[in-house]
Structure formats: C-alpha cells, structure tokens
Amino acid sequence: MTPTLADSTRGVSARVTQFTESVIREMTRLAAEYDAVNLAQGFPDFPAPDFIKEAAIQAIRDDINQYAVTWGDPLLRQALSAKYARWYGMEVTDANITVCCGSTEAMISTLIAVLNPGDETVIFEPFYENYGPDSILSGAVPRFVTVRQSADGWSFDRAELAAAFNLRTRAIIINTPNNPTGKVFTRAELEFIRDLCIQHDCLAITDEIYEHIIYDGRQHIPLATLDGMAERTITISGISKTFSVTGWRVGWALAPARLAGGIRKVHDFLTVGAPAPLQVAAAKAMDQGDEYCRQLSADYTARRQRVVPALQRAGFQCTAPEGAYYILTDVTPFLGMCGGEEFARWLVREVGVATVPGSSFYHDAALGAAQTRFCYSKTDPTLDAAMRKIAALSKR
Ligand SMILES: Cc1ncc(COP(=O)(O)O)c(C=O)c1O
C-alpha cells in the first residue's frame, strides 16, 4: 500500500508537526548532489585560527575529558566575564552565565526556561529559522514583525512593532547583526525596543552570534547595555562564527541571576554540558583573541566586496550587509513564471550555486517568495567560482 501523509507522521507529536525540516540542510544536500558551490549553509570553508586549535589540542592532552560543571567550565566563565567587561563594559558575574552546546541550545534552553504555554514572543522576520520552532517547542505563540528592504537597507515599521505587543507578550527575540538580512540594529531602534520591553514588562532575548562581524566602522551594541535592560535581557552568543568552529558547539546565555537558575536547569536536562576540552580552548581564545576579533571584520569586508557587486551586476537586487555574512537578495527579475523555491532549486541544479530560498525565513512563505540568500563565509576561490557561475547566468 502507498504510505499516506498521515502514515508518514504517525506517532510524531502535534507540537512537532507544526514545523518542517530545515530547508537550509536540504539545499546543502542538493549542493552535494549536483556538485554545486555551497553558498547556502552558514559555515566557513576555511580553517579555524591556529591559536584556538592549539588550545583545544592542549586541553585534550591535559586530559580534560570528563563532564564540565553543567553551567560551564570556570575558566570559560571567567573569560566571559572579562571579555564582556573589556568589549562592552558589561558586568557579567558567575551567577549570570550558562555555557551551552552552541547558541542554538542557549536559545531553546532560555525559551523553555522563561515561557509558559500561551505566552507570546515577538520575532522579526525574515528570521533565523530556529526561532519559530523554538517558540513552539516552548509552548509559546510567535508573533511576527516584518523587516523590509529599501535603498537605505533594512528597517521595520515602529507602529507595527508596537502593535505586536499585548498583555500576553513575554519576550522579544532580536538578532543583531542579523541573519539573513545583514541588518545591524541602530541605537535608536534598540532604544525603541527597550521602551516597549519596559512598557510591557517583557524580556528581550538577543542572539549576538555575529557580534564580531560588523562593517564600515559600526559598533555592536548589546541591548543589555541600554539603561533599564540589564535586568530584562538574556544575551546569547558563542564561538561558532567568531572563531570559525561551528562544529565545536560552544555558546552561552548571559541572564539576570533569577533567570539563569531556570536556564541552567533546562540546559542540564537537555545536554548536561558543552564539550569540556573545547570550553577550555574557547576560554583561551577569548583571552588571546581581541586582535583576531578586530581583524575579522576587515577579512569579511573583503569577502563582502567579492560578492555584492558581482551579484548586483548579474541582476540580483541587494544592498551591502551591515554585519554578519549573508546577502538576502531580491530575485524578482529572474522569476518569470516560477517561484523563489523553484528558482533556488534551478540555481543549484543548472547554474551550480546553492542558496537558500527566502521563503524559509518567513512564517508565511509568500513573503519571501521573491528572495534568495547567499552566504559568503567562504574562501576567495570558492567565492570566485560561485561568482563566475553567477556572471554566466546574466548572459543566458
Ligand atoms: C542567527 C544565528 N544564531 C545562531 C546560529 C547557530 O549558532 P551556534 O553554532 O552557536 O549554535 C546561527 C547559525 O547559522 C545563526 O545564524
């Protein structure tokens, strides 16, 4: 008998059937199948810096093999306190920190720890695709506010954002620098968000994983540093993007102590702890890595320059990202009769470049139907190979 849709999900909880498998991973699979250049998934294809690799090797040689303290190795917690004081003037004490298996686990542990069934979260879209499922897994109801592109970059309508808050709103999730838009929220925007959080007595949960990839002299502003926000912000970040080690799985949540206790409990029962030797390596990298972090934005500026003008010449409509390493382009000129997902599949199959269709970044796929995202955390030869294929596209 042919299996039916009901058969294919039998036994899966109602909660989990509310979201689908990540399209990004599907595009990575297609890239391998068609031997295409993979500008879909957000991971670097170049090596991590030697100093963090040497620190990890040393930690394993030193036999740091057993469970770390569940909320983080003391060395990493000390390094985090020092780093946030040095970079942002933030006072982060031991009681605020939970080290997790990447910022992904920090986000889901935080949401489970602070949300009750029926609570609402406010999420900007296009979004990093985990936030919707994370909210649903926590029993909460996500409300979406669209960020739109103009010639000046990406911005949101303040009245629309204010209207998304109500008596059930418990938290807003902000990702700056942003995946997929490359937007860096300005101080004025963050102050507006701060005022809404205070007015509605809400938490802010900020994903700052791209904090050190920021362009044209902009400064990263952690929302927690704004007046009145330290006691209502959970700051999430990690080493994946800064040190090009997305597979190491080390991240953290910094929260007011009253909330950190809840986050630690969830984290403990989800994963017990992040990889012990890699936490020690992360601590060393953070202690030694300020100069490296400052250079990172310059390195990514050069990669951005290899890609943005080439895409624009080929007919992809986009502005230069302000931070992170993605370009969300408008592909309307290419669409003809097909939709954005079909276009992205065609691009990987026929042109040999894997991207992510914009539909995967919106709760309503139609909103992203004319967009596709390019990731440029790649070596120069990878980017040049991709842009040669893209240039050929405009000659078709
Ligand atoms: C906005 C954002 N947050 C979190 C992550 C995942 O971070 P981690 O590797 O620390 O789990 C990504 C990865 O692409 C991302 O783009």
Side-chain angles (χ1 to χ4, degrees):
M1 222 168 59
T2 321
T4 64
L5 187 64
D7 287 328
S8 72
T9 56
R10 182 170 297 142
V12 175
S13 73
R15 192 183 273 170
V16 170
T17 49
Q18 286 177 63
F19 50 88
T20 53
E21 196 208 351
S22 156
V23 178
I24 299 183
R25 279 177 268 288
E26 184 203 332
M27 294 309 292
T28 291
R29 251 193 336 261
L30 289 179
E33 189 178 329
Y34 293 108
D35 199 21
V37 185
N38 186 358
L39 302 191
Q41 209 170 353
F43 60 82
D45 70 343
F46 43 82
D50 281 341
F51 64 90
I52 195 169
K53 291 196 290 197
E54 293 305 326
I57 292 163
Q58 189 58 48
I60 291 171
R61 290 222 169 90
D62 290 345
D63 269 326
I64 301 177
N65 299 320
Q66 312 311 328
Y67 302 122
V69 176
T70 182
W71 54 85
D73 187 288
L75 280 179
L76 180 51
R77 283 182 279 133
Q78 278 160 24
L80 285 169
S81 297
K83 177 231 158 99
Y84 277 88
R86 255 190 344 267
W87 279 82
Y88 309 118
M90 280 166 70
E91 194 189 333
V92 176
T93 71
D94 214 38
N96 303 127
I97 302 171
T98 311
V99 175
C100 294
C101 295
S103 68
T104 300
E105 196 233 326
M107 180 61 75
I108 185 82
S109 295
T110 298
L111 293 184
I112 292 175
V114 303
L115 297 174
N116 285 305
D119 283 348
E120 290 190 6
T121 51
V122 175
I123 300 177
F124 289 105
E125 66 180 353
F127 44 67
Y128 173 57
E129 62 176 353
N130 285 30
Y131 304 149
D134 282 356
S135 295
I136 293 165
L137 285 171
S138 323
V141 180
R143 248 176 205 270
F144 300 96
V145 174
T146 307
V147 176
R148 297 184 184 84
Q149 188 169 32
S150 70
D152 299 329
W154 294 84
S155 59
F156 60 88
D157 182 282
R158 291 186 176 199
E160 234 177 273
L161 179 62
F165 282 73
N166 62 51
L167 288 174
R168 289 181 298 278
T169 310
R170 172 76 175 129
I172 178 168
I173 301 176
I174 299 131
N175 169 217
T176 183
N178 185 264
N179 169 14
T181 61
K183 176 179 174 59
V184 172
F185 284 69
T186 63
R187 183 172 288 279
E189 287 171 329
L190 293 174
E191 283 172 353
F192 185 75
I193 293 168
R194 184 263 319 269
D195 293 347
L196 286 171
C197 287
I198 291 172
Q199 184 189 338
H200 295 273
D201 195 17
C202 285
L203 298 172
I205 304 169
T206 66
D207 179 340
E208 304 182 11
I209 188 89
Y210 298 102
E211 62 189 295
H212 293 298
I213 305 174
I214 188 161
Y215 308 118
D216 307 321
R218 289 183 182 80
Q219 298 296 317
H220 174 64
I221 306 171
L223 186 55
T225 59
L226 267 56
D227 279 350
M229 288 309 283
E231 62 266 29
R232 57 175 72 247
T233 303
I234 296 120
T235 306
I236 291 175
S237 193
I239 62 170
S240 283
K241 312 291 177 170
T242 302
F243 296 105
S244 300
V245 287
T246 57
W248 285 23
R249 315 310 304 133
V250 179
W252 49 85
L254 311 177
R258 69 180 195 285
L259 301 176
I263 297 169
R264 287 175 174 188
K265 269 200 279 186
V266 178
H267 157 70
D268 190 8
F269 289 110
L270 278 179
T271 64
V272 179
L278 304 184
Q279 291 192 48
V280 172
K284 286 212 180 131
M286 227 159 294
D287 288 341
Q288 299 167 5
D290 284 2
E291 201 37 55
Y292 163 87
C293 287
R294 277 188 276 274
Q295 181 59 33
L296 197 60
S297 288
D299 295 347
Y300 272 105
T301 301
R303 292 185 188 106
R304 181 183 70 161
Q305 188 56 24
R306 272 192 135 76
V307 176
V308 174
L311 289 177
Q312 288 169 335
R313 272 196 303 276
F316 291 84
Q317 294 166 355
C318 57
T319 50
E322 298 167 345
Y325 48 53
Y326 305 94
I327 309 158
L328 188 61
T329 62
D330 186 318
V331 294
T332 306
F334 299 105
L335 289 185
M337 298 299 283
C338 80
E341 290 195 18
E342 224 177 303
F343 174 71
R345 289 200 179 91
W346 178 82
L347 204 61
V348 66
R349 202 177 55 236
E350 304 293 332
V351 180
V353 179
T355 59
V356 180
S359 51
S360 43
F361 304 113
Y362 293 86
H363 80 287
D364 173 1
L367 289 169
Q371 297 172 343
T372 207
R373 188 196 75 175
F374 291 81
C375 165
Y376 56 92
S377 59
K378 308 292 171 191
T379 58
D380 291 352
T382 309
L383 295 176
D384 291 347
M387 291 308 114
R388 269 196 304 276
K389 288 168 188 273
I390 289 291
L393 171 65
S394 59
K395 297 192 188 82
R396 283 177 183 234

